[in-house]
Every structure is written in C-alpha cells, then in structure tokens.
C-alpha cells in the first residue's frame, strides 16, 4: 500500500454500455482515467477522491482498491503465490472476517468457488507468515470483501471499498415487477440529459413508473443528493489505513448539499401507474430515499394519460416523459403490449407536443408501434436483455399528426400501418364468409384465419369473446426482423378487425412438438372458462398450455360420434381432455372408458364430465399408455375413437410412438376390443399420413376425411386424416 499522499489504483465496474458515462463521472469527481474496459474502467485517485467516488457515483457497481495485477496465473499454485506476495498486513486488521468474490476462469480453474478458495489460501498464507491468527471466512457479512478477477492468465486482486454493489441505494425494498437497477436508471436519465433539464426546472413524467426507480433517481439528481448518502456502512471504514477525518468532511458536505438541494429543487416529477401496488411501493421507496415531497404519484393508465394540469396551466412549458414499459419477455403479453405502445404514442402526440420522450425497451419492434421516430438511440443491457433507449422529439411528430387530423382524435384502429390494415381486411373478409354458417350452426369456437397470406404465418381461433393466436415457426429463409414486424402488424390489427380488447387476445408460438412437449405448461394463470359446442359445455384454457383443451378441427368428428353413440359402449383412446367422450355421452352412450397417459388432461376430462353432469360410475377415466392398455384390457366396445399424437417419447411410455410406423399395430389392437358390429373412428394429424394398405385386406376401411371438415377448416385438406374401420364380416 502506498502512503497517504500517493494515488490509489482503482478498478471501477458498471453495467455494460455505460462505461463512457462512468468515465465522465469519475473525472468530474476528481479521478484520473487510466483505461476503459468492458463494463468498467481503471483509474487513479487520492484517498479522499476514492471515498468521494464511493459516496457520489450514480453509475458504478463496485469500487475496487487494486492491490496487485499479476500475469501467468493459470494454475492454482501460481495464483496462491501471487496473492501471498501482496501487502495484506498493511490494509487489513487482525481478527477481521473475510469473503472472496472471484470472477473468471482458466483451464485449471473452472468454478468461481474453487477460484475463491485458491485466493483465500494465498491471503491466509500471507497473514500466518506475518504471525497473525488465521482469519475467519464469512461469505455473507464479512468485515472485508476481497475481489479477484482472472482472464487469460492475468489476475487482478483488490479490496471492495464499499462491500456491496453501489446500485443498492437502500431505498428500494418494494421493488415491484421487473425492477430497473438504480445505476442503470441513472445512466438512462443522463443519456436523456436530465441533469441539465433539472437545473432548468423542467418537469418529468413517468406514465408507467412501477416502483418509482426512474423518478427517485431523477429526484436525487435534481436535489443534488449523493446516491449513497443514507448508506450506514462502507467497507473502507474498517481498513487499517482509513482516513476518518477526510471521510467525515465528505459526509458533512454531502448532507449540507442535500439539505439545500431538497429546498431549491425546481423540477416537478410525476409518476403514474395502473397498479395500486406499484404506486404504494413507489411511495414507500420515495419516503426511504428522503425525497417524497419532490414526487407526485397517482393511479392511471397510459390510455388516459394527460399532461399534468399544473404544467398545462403554464403555456409553452415542456419537459421529459421517460418510462420503462414492459418488453414482452413472456410471449402471452405481446397483444396487450402492442396496444400499450400504440396508446403511448397517441397520447404523446395529443398531450405532450414539444416534449421529449425517452423510452427504454428490450423490444425495438414494440418501440415502432409508437408511430414516432427516434432521433437518437443508445444500446444498453438490462440484465441479460439487449435494450435500447429511444430519444424522440415530439414537437415535429405532433405537428404532423395535427396536419393529418386537425379536428378530432382518431379512435383506436383507424390509423394502422399498411400491412396491419391489409391483415385486418382479411380477417373481416373471413368472418363475413363464415357468418352464415356460424348463425346456422350456433358454434362459438372456430378458426378464423390459418396462414391465408404466407407472410402472416398465424392461426387465429375465436373462443367466444376470446381470441387465440398461434404463430407458426418461420422458415430460415424468412428475415426474423420482417417476421417480427408482421407479427406486430397482425397483433395491432386484431383488436380493430374483431372488436376485442387487447387483453382478450392470447398469443403463443407454435413449433413442431415431440414427446411430452404438448403437455408442458406455458404458464400458471389457471385462467380457464367455459365454451359451448352444440349441447356440450367444455373448459378451455388459452394461456397455460400449448393447446387449449379443445381441438377445433375435430368438431365434425365429435359430432359424428355423438350421432353414432346412442346406447353404445364407447372407448376414447388418447382422450386428451375428454371432449369426444362428452359428446358421445350426451349423444346417448351407455357407458365409456377414456384412456390417456397425462394426468393433467385426465383431470381436465373429469372436470368436463362434471360440468356436463355425467355419471363418473358410467364414464370412467384410465391413466395408462394406450398401447399397453389395449394389450392387457378386456371387454368389448361398440364405438371406439382413436386420435393418437403424431409422435411421442414420454418417459412414462415403453419406447416411442410414431404414428406412421405404429398405426397398423394400434388399429389391430383396437379392433380386437371392437364388437362384431362396432365401428372404429381413427384419426391423426400427420400431414403426409398414409394408411397401411394391408389393413384394407382385413377390415372394411372407409376414408371419411372430407366429411370431417367444417367451413372454417376447408383451407387445409391435410390438417387431419380420418377413417371409419369395421370388421370384415
């Protein structure tokens, strides 16, 4: 360690993408930049400046006092030797507890815990060689946290001067959903030029404030408050060379600046959120940060966003709207988010002409839904997500919007992109084509669109007042950016074309499934509702599973089973949620057995039976591999329905099921359970399925596929294949 008048070597880390901002900040605080690296920098500073950086940096994660940088540190032994040679007795005190944060790896060190152990061994060797007691290791509450970084044989070792990440200001105990880290929020505000705006007294509005992180960081900047002013303890206070006098001067100065700043802050900050829990969390966080009087919080949705009345009263006053809306990490959120971003763009044009919008998003395609052009963009990382800060000048955009419609605001949906309008027209055309059939049949669940236009590779199904959207996996030849933009166009068109709210639209990506993927949960909402099909009532869930619980293309097959089931013994193999059994039972089946391997879907089937008041004593469910059950079961059935998956390799099965390879065996086993005058209805969804020709030599086989398509599924003649099979006699 150098003497008190010499410069200390610091390694300061930060989130990716804000290194240049951090360098400017460190220079302003009195440091000297040596080198900027990825997610950090190296600097020189005297002791008081190092303390000042710990207290005042709004952007740093860690401030590391560098004790040594060594090369050729690949093996554990070389690392131990390098660490042992450092002057630990000049910076540590006897009896202090230690923890080691290790980052990086080498061919010999693959795990950070092993690397930390190796560094700890070097420190312990050095202290014991100096005659000190062996220090205790306390991973959570250590007096001193050591830092070690290993990359390509180069080892950096130092002491964390704070002891924890500087993004943790201490005010945010109620973080809300998907919180933004405090130092990233500060970086966004700096890129939006908020410090200068605050000095001019400009207002700031966050229409989706969540737990209030952006607002609180903005308020602390406006009030000239050190971000670590309320931190109770800094690790450098425990070091042997701690300069208490210099530190107390910095603390008093920071407290005085905060006292004056809170009184003189000129900016008005407004936060809105439609979640009462978020507003409550933001209010509590602002209180702990010590700036509650600077922020006005209220409930409200983006769709009803207005410029605050006290700002509207000052003619010509403009400011900054800044927000971090949801990005749509969960696919099912996209329909609502498309509408949310569209609403935000519309409200900005109407309510905030002359302002600037700073929008932070992890989905630039959603950003395009604003209908506003960014004049500047900055790349950031929010955790693992690639994100962008879009800076948008509303003045010119607002003027253009007024030129297009000078007299009245447009209702949602009247302003769609060319592609979205084309898609909306197709949906309306399809609905008009199906109207007559829907009125005659009374069906409330149907397919409205099935990749009619190749560039919009979606299947859109209507379930009463809800809409289920499935996106087919695009071929590799399709540019992902174009595919994403077309998806956004479609999702913005659906509410307009079908007159539904965005929250009534449920979106999923559909890919070819194998094994038990069809049973895998997509969510845990438990949000199901009842639909009708003929006289049947059926539970569907549009959110939690890849499939909904009701295969709409098999509607005519279920209708056929109901017509044939009167007084018969019915067997439903691969029964899924038991919808075919419900129709057969309502059609008069005397009793039934429904077999499937999934306990999830069998419980669903039981709920469907209960919903339709079917006697569980007469209509049983069996959990088993259908192939094994057929090989061992006894009894006969007058009507059998079998609709196996195309492929399955479930762990609960013996081997795998490939329907093209195995269908002959399945049919033979089913026919062994079929009464002499009975019928087997065999169906599957393999597009290129071909029935084994030998079956026609042993049974009476009639393909009835053409009869099993209602008008909503006539576009795809190979969506399923269906056969009626009877004994030859």
């Amino acid at each position: 360690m150098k003497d008190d008048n010499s410069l200390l070597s610091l390694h300061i880390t930060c989130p990716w993408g804000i290194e240049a901002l951090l360098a400017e900040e460190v220079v302003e605080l009195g440091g000297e930049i040596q080198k900027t690296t990825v997610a950090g920098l190296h600097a020189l500073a005297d002791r008081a400046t190092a303390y000042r950086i710990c207290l005042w940096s709004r952007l740093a994660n860690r401030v590391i006092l560098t004790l040594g940088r060594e090369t050729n540190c690949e093996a554990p032994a070389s690392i131990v030797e390098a660490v042992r040679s450092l002057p630990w007795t000049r910076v540590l005190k006897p009896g202090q507890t230690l923890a080691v944060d290790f980052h990086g790896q080498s061919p010999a060190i693959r795990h950070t815990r092993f690397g930390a152990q190796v560094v700890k061994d070097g420190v312990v060797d050095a202290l014991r060689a100096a005659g000190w007691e062996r220090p205790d290791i306390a991973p959570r509450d250590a007096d001193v946290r050591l830092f070690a970084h290993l990359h390509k044989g180069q080892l950096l070792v130092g002491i964390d001067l704070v002891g924890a990440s500087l993004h943790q200001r201490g005010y945010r105990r109620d973080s809300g959903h998907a919180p933004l880290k405090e130092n990233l929020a500060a970086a966004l505000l700096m890129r939006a030029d908020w410090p200068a705006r605050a000095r001019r007294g400009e207002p700031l509005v966050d229409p989706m404030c969540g737990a209030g992180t952006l607002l609180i960081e903005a308020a602390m900047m406006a009030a000239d408050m050190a971000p670590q002013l309320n931190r109770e303890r800094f690790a450098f206070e425990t070091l042997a060379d701690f300069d208490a006098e210099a530190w107390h001067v910095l603390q008093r100065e920071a407290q005085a600046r905060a006292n004056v700043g809170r009184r003189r802050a000129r900016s008005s900050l407004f936060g809105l959120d439609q979640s009462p829990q978020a507003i409550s969390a933001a209010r509590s966080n602002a209180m702990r940060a010590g700036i509650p009087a600077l922020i006005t919080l209220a409930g409200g949705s983006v769709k009803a966003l207005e410029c605050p009345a006290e700002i509207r009263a000052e003619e010509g006053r403009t400011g900054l709207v800044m927000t971090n809306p949801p990005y749509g990490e969960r696919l099912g959120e996209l329909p609502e988010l498309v509408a949310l971003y569209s609403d935000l763009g519309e409200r900005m044009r109407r309510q905030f002409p002359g302002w600037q919008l700073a929008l932070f998003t992890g989905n630039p395609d959603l950003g395009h839904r604003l209908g506003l052009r960014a004049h500047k963009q900055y790349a950031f990382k929010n955790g693992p997500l690639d994100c962008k800060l879009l800076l948008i000048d509303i003045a010119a955009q607002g003027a253009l919007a007024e030129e297009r419609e000078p007299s009245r605001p447009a209702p949602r949906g009247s302003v769609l992109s060319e592609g979205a309008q084309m898609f909306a027209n197709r949906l309306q055309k399809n609905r008009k084509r199906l109207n007559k059939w829907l009125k005659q049949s009374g069906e409330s669940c149907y397919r409205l669109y099935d990749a009619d236009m190749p560039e919009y590779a979606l299947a859109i199904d209507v379930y009463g007042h809800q809409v289920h959207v499935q996106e087919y996996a695009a071929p590799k030849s399709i540019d992902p950016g174009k595919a994403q933009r077309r998806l956004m166009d479609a999702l913005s068109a659906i509410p307009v074309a079908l007159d539904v709210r965005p929250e009534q639209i449920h979106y999923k990506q559909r890919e070819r499934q194998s094994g038990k993927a069809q049973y895998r949960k997509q969510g845990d909402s438990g949000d199901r509702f009842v639909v009708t099909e003929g006289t049947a009532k059926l539970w569907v869930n549009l959110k939690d599973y890849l499939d909904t619980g009701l295969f709409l293309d098999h509607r005519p097959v279920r209708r056929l089973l109901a017509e044939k089931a009167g007084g018969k013994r019915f067997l439903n193999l691969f029964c899924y949620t038991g919808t075919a059994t419900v129709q057969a039972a309502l059609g008069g089946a005397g009793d039934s057995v429904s077999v499937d391997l999934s306990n999830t879907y069998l419980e669903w089937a039981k709920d469907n039976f209960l919903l339709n008041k079917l006697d569980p004593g007469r209509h049983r469910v069996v959990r088993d591999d259908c192939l094994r059950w057929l090989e061992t079961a006894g009894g006969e059935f007058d009507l059998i329905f079998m609709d196996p998956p195309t492929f399955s390799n479930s762990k609960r099965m013996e081997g795998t099921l490939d329907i093209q390879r195995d269908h002959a065996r399945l049919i033979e086993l089913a026919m062994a359970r079929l009464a002499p005058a009975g019928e087997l209805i065999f169906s599957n969804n393999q597009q290129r399925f071909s029935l084994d020709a030998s079956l026609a030599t042993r049974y009476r086989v009639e393909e009835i596929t053409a009869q099993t398509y209602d008008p909503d599924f006539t576009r795809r003649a190979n969506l399923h294949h269906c056969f009626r099979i009877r004994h030859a006699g």
Side-chain angles (χ1 to χ4, degrees), residues 181 464 654 719:
K181 284 189 176 180
E654 295 178 3
L719 187 60

Side-chain angles (χ1 to χ4, degrees), residues 269-578:
L269 294 95
F270 301 87
L272 300 98
D273 203 286
Q274 63 182 5
S275 166
Q277 293 82 3
I279 292 296
S280 177
R283 190 166 285 119
S284 298
N285 291 341
M287 185 72 69
R288 279 188 288 270
I291 40 79
L294 301 184
I295 301 174
T296 301
L297 297 165
S301 68
V302 168
K303 193 173 181 180
L305 176 64
E306 294 184 348
C307 183
E310 64 186 71
I311 298 176
R312 285 202 310 270
E314 300 181 37
E315 187 174 347
R317 190 181 183 196
T318 60
L320 178 67
V321 176
M322 188 169 198
T323 194
N324 172 38
Y327 314 149
E329 300 99 304
R330 292 190 292 273
L331 293 177
E333 297 175 340
L334 278 178
E336 292 184 59
L337 294 184
V338 168
L340 176 71
Y341 279 67
S342 178
D343 285 339
L344 179 61
E346 191 273 334
R347 300 313 290 175
M348 292 302 302
R349 287 189 292 268
R350 301 292 169 189
Q351 292 289 321
F352 297 89
W355 289 53
Q356 187 174 89
L357 170 65
L359 183 128
F360 186 58
T361 180
N363 192 330
D365 289 298
L366 279 172
H368 294 154
R369 299 297 115 188
L370 292 166
L372 303 169
R373 186 180 299 276
H375 66 269
K376 194 172 288 186
Q377 301 182 19
Y378 293 99
F380 290 91
K381 283 271 193 185
N382 188 6
L385 298 176
D386 291 316
C387 297
K388 285 187 177 179
L389 176 67
L390 309 178
L391 299 182
I392 302 167
D393 186 354
I394 305 300
Q397 302 287 352
L400 289 173
E402 292 300 324
E403 288 173 15
R404 287 195 297 266
E405 283 199 88
S407 58
R408 59 188 175 84
R412 175 188 285 176
S414 62
V415 182
L416 293 175
S417 69
E418 183 179 351
Q421 188 61 61
M422 178 177 66
F423 191 76
N425 293 342
R426 175 54 66 100
L427 294 183
Q428 291 168 338
K429 178 182 177 181
N430 286 3
R431 177 173 265 186
K432 185 176 180 180
R433 175 178 63 84
L434 294 174
N435 266 345
K436 184 177 179 181
W437 167 70
L438 289 171
K439 288 179 180 178
Q440 290 175 343
S441 66
E443 296 296 346
S444 61
C445 304
Y446 58 93
R447 176 150 295 181
L448 181 63
Y449 175 91
D450 198 351
D452 302 21
M453 298 182 288
E455 60 267 41
Y456 294 92
L458 305 170
I460 300 179
D461 297 321
V462 175
Y463 288 80
H465 299 294
Q466 306 287 319
V467 180
H468 188 245
V469 180
Q470 299 176 82
E471 182 187 19
Y472 297 121
K476 293 182 179 179
S477 59
I478 299 297
D479 175 60
K482 282 186 177 180
Q484 184 74 357
R485 284 192 292 275
R486 287 167 179 164
L487 170 65
M488 297 298 176
D489 279 343
L491 293 177
S492 64
I494 291 171
V496 177
L498 304 186
D499 192 25
V500 295
R501 299 187 305 276
E503 58 267 27
Q504 293 173 284
I505 303 170
H506 310 278
Y507 165 75
K508 297 170 188 168
Q509 283 183 335
R510 182 117 202 166
E511 299 178 2
R512 185 181 183 274
Q513 300 298 313
S514 62
K516 56 182 180 180
Q518 63 175 319
Y519 302 115
R520 190 174 298 132
K521 269 197 169 187
Q522 311 284 305
D524 293 294
S525 73
D527 189 2
R528 63 179 187 173
F529 60 97
V530 175
V531 297
T532 59
E533 182 181 87
T535 60
K537 297 177 182 178
L538 303 167
W539 287 109
V540 295
N541 184 321
L542 306 188
K543 295 182 179 180
D544 294 344
Y545 300 89
L546 185 63
D547 293 314
T548 66
L550 181 63
F551 293 131
L552 297 183
D553 63 308
H554 277 88
R555 185 193 313 111
V557 180
R558 292 189 290 271
R559 193 164 57 237
L560 176 66
L561 293 170
E563 293 169 358
K564 292 178 174 291
K568 294 181 179 177
R569 298 163 293 176
F570 178 66
L571 173 62
N572 187 358
L573 297 166
F574 306 96
C575 73
Y576 189 44
T577 59

